[in-house]
Amino acid sequence: MYERKIPVDLDCPLRLTMSLMDSKWKSCILDELRHGPLRPSELHRQLPEATPRVLDLQLKELVEDGLVVKTIYAELPPRSEYAITELGASLLPIIDAMIEWGLRNTDLFERKFGKIPK
């Protein structure tokens, strides 16, 4: 597990919130899980740019933080799936605001990264 070199500022609510979503893929994982539980392989297919190792680590952190719950089914072969918790769902308005901001500012991204496919 990743261990921070600089401690989180416990007096700053913004930094505390960001500490739960501080990676490149956690917000994307929560966004995918808003539609219902997904198996790890389904998440990997939805986010192909992320390596399986990174997704697995970030899923583990999301579970530890209580934003996602992992269910393991006792069957052969064993299977598991991840679902967003009520606490995790409470972050969706923040994610929605970020999506909306991104949609309103596509020209900024096109200047920075080139033409964005629709």
Side-chain angles (χ1 to χ4, degrees):
M1 169 78 106
Y2 173 76
E3 192 169 318
R4 294 182 181 280
K5 294 180 178 110
I6 301 171
V8 175
D9 181 357
L10 299 177
D11 294 327
C12 179
L14 177 60
R15 288 190 185 126
L16 288 171
T17 303
M18 287 173 46
S19 74
L20 296 177
M21 302 171 55
D22 65 348
S23 70
K24 184 174 183 177
W25 299 107
K26 286 182 183 178
S27 297
C28 297
I29 292 168
L30 292 173
D31 187 48
E32 292 298 332
L33 292 176
R34 79 167 63 215
H35 307 294
L38 292 173
R39 297 180 69 182
S41 60
E42 294 169 319
L43 278 167
H44 292 291
R45 275 194 294 278
Q46 295 295 327
L47 304 167
E49 304 89 4
T51 65
R53 180 180 181 278
V54 167
L55 277 183
D56 292 341
L57 287 171
Q58 293 189 1
L59 280 164
K60 182 179 177 184
E61 288 179 15
L62 287 167
V63 169
E64 288 173 357
D65 291 337
L67 303 177
V68 168
V69 64
K70 179 179 182 178
T71 304
I72 300 172
Y73 295 95
E75 54 189 42
L76 289 174
R79 76 178 168 98
S80 63
E81 64 183 20
Y82 293 91
I84 195 167
T85 63
E86 189 175 327
L87 182 62
S90 70
L91 290 170
L92 292 175
I94 297 169
I95 294 169
D96 290 338
M98 292 169 60
I99 292 168
E100 181 60 34
W101 189 90
L103 290 171
R104 283 195 318 266
N105 292 285
T106 55
D107 58 324
L108 166 73
F109 302 117
E110 288 177 356
R111 283 195 311 272
K112 184 170 179 143
F113 302 112
K115 185 70 175 154
I116 299 173
K118 304 269 179 185

